[in-house]
């Protein structure tokens, strides 16, 4: 099941591409480990957009690596979001990672957070949006891989499960769970300013500098492994953590258009 993205059946991958991915993964992992030294920057920034914009397994690995680096440095993680959505399982996995994060995670909707992306931001400690950003439209859909036709999922068992997940994240962070539920049940869509008024996101900012200026000095609560502690945001600079070559190729190969050529 997915949120707002086509459903494609699992298929076997050509062995050549598996070997390519393994080689790239080995090389990229070595670079990632080498790059974990201390940095003069005191925040990490990642972007869920472009080739990583579909919330899928490559996005999950990207966030996992970035969060591990941020936690190792004791630095906040800033997540810039410009996404049409993605798959349910990776969304849940990433959301749970954020929920248990040992460092503050700050979401910034730079343009759109549709579907799964609107759910993904809920467990983040602070969420901001540009004034013209849009968030919502999270009713699950299924797409026929043969005809390309899509249908909204209305089966109560599925809808209620997704709602329960999203509402839990919103309630934990003190956000408007009712509005988040309407994202799923009624495909509610809000602008950045409307989302602040509805208490779905915390503040509006026009750019990253304004966001950082607005949140510096704020205190958030971190809860992980039975530990509960407060952390005060203090960001003077950030380092952008780009997805490794392995993750970029992985995401590219999972693209539906590419799949039709490379996968069998």
């Amino acid at each position: 099941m997915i949120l707002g993205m086509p459903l494609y059946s699992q298929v076997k991958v050509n062995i050549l591409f598996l070997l390519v991915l393994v080689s790239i993964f080995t090389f990229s992992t070595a670079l990632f480990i080498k790059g974990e030294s201390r940095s003069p920057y005191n925040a990490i920034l990642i972007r869920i957009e472009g080739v990583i914009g579909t919330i899928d397994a490559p996005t999950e690995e990207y966030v996992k690596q970035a969060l591990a680096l941020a936690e190792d440095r004791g630095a906040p993680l800033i997540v810039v979001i410009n996404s049409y959505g993605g798959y349910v399982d990776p969304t849940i996995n990433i959301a749970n990672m954020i929920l248990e994060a040992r460092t503050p995670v700050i979401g910034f909707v730079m343009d759109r957070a549709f579907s799964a992306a609107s759910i993904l931001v809920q467990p983040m400690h602070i969420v901001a949006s540009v004034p013209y950003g849009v968030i919502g439209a999270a009713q699950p859909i299924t797409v026929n891989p043969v005809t390309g036709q899509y249908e909204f999922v209305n089966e109560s068992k599925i809808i209620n499960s997704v709602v329960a997940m999203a509402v839990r994240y919103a309630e934990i962070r003190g956000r408007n769970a009712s509005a988040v539920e309407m994202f799923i049940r009624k495909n509610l869509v809000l602008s950045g300013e409307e989302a602040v008024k509805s208490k779905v996101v915390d503040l509006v900012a026009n750019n990253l500098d304004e966001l950082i200026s607005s949140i510096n000095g704020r205190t958030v609560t971190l809860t992980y492994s039975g530990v509960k502690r407060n952390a005060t945001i203090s960001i003077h600079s950030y380092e952008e953590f780009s997805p490794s070559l392995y993750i970029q190729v992985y995401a590219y190969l999972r693209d539906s258009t590419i799949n039709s050529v490379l996968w069998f």
Side-chain angles (χ1 to χ4, degrees):
M1 180 57 55
I2 57 177
L3 292 176
M5 296 295 296
L7 178 64
Y8 297 95
S9 58
Q10 295 296 317
V11 291
K12 294 182 179 180
V13 64
N14 187 297
I15 188 65
L16 173 63
F17 292 101
L18 277 176
L19 291 174
V20 170
L21 284 175
V22 170
S23 300
I24 292 173
F25 175 74
T26 303
F27 177 70
S28 299
T29 301
L31 289 179
F32 174 67
I33 294 173
K34 183 178 180 181
E36 285 185 347
S37 57
R38 293 293 168 180
S39 166
Y41 303 102
N42 74 328
I44 304 294
L45 182 142
I46 62 174
R47 298 178 184 273
I48 299 180
E49 63 180 5
V51 70
I52 308 297
T54 299
I55 300 170
D56 196 0
T59 313
E60 180 182 341
E61 180 62 27
Y62 177 41
V63 175
K64 181 179 179 181
Q65 290 183 3
L67 184 57
L69 181 60
E71 290 178 335
D72 179 65
R73 293 184 180 176
L77 177 64
I78 303 171
V79 184
V80 174
I81 300 154
N82 184 8
S83 171
Y84 283 102
Y87 296 80
V88 169
D89 286 347
T91 300
I92 295 173
N93 294 340
I94 296 171
N96 288 338
M97 279 192 283
I98 293 170
L99 207 59
E100 292 279 326
R102 297 168 181 260
T103 194
V105 179
I106 301 140
F108 187 31
V109 180
M110 190 67 80
D111 190 0
R112 64 183 68 87
F114 287 140
S115 190
S118 69
I119 307 305
L120 185 64
V121 301
Q122 297 308 315
M124 296 182 182
H125 300 94
I126 298 174
V127 182
S129 173
V130 292
Y132 53 83
V134 285
I135 181 171
Q139 184 176 355
I141 63 171
T142 58
V143 177
N144 187 313
V146 177
T147 65
Q149 292 181 327
Y150 71 89
E151 294 181 356
F152 287 110
V153 174
N154 292 301
E155 186 178 344
S156 60
K157 182 170 70 173
I158 295 173
I159 294 294
N160 290 342
S161 297
V162 175
V163 166
M165 170 192 70
V167 165
R168 171 175 172 261
Y169 297 141
E171 288 179 341
I172 288 174
R173 297 302 183 214
R175 300 199 171 96
N176 186 344
S178 296
V180 172
E181 181 174 352
M182 289 301 101
F183 286 168
I184 301 163
R185 295 195 186 276
K186 300 295 184 180
N187 264 334
L188 174 68
V189 176
L190 299 173
S191 70
E193 293 178 335
E194 290 171 338
V196 172
K197 291 177 181 177
S198 298
K199 298 184 179 179
V200 173
V201 304
D202 304 305
L203 69 152
V204 165
N206 288 292
N207 50 54
L208 279 167
D209 289 341
E210 185 176 318
L211 167 64
I212 291 170
S213 176
S214 297
I215 65 176
N216 272 340
R218 291 198 182 196
T219 298
V220 299
T221 301
L222 307 178
T223 306
Y224 55 89
S225 302
V227 176
K228 187 174 183 179
R229 68 180 180 87
N230 292 332
T232 300
I233 307 294
S234 180
I235 300 173
H236 58 72
S237 58
Y238 60 84
E239 175 183 3
E240 187 157 346
F241 180 77
S242 299
S244 66
L245 180 59
Y246 160 72
I247 290 174
Q248 292 183 60
V249 172
Y250 187 15
Y252 182 72
L253 291 177
R254 287 184 66 86
D255 179 84
S256 59
T257 303
I258 302 301
N259 281 345
S260 65
V261 178
L262 300 181
W263 303 71
F264 65 93

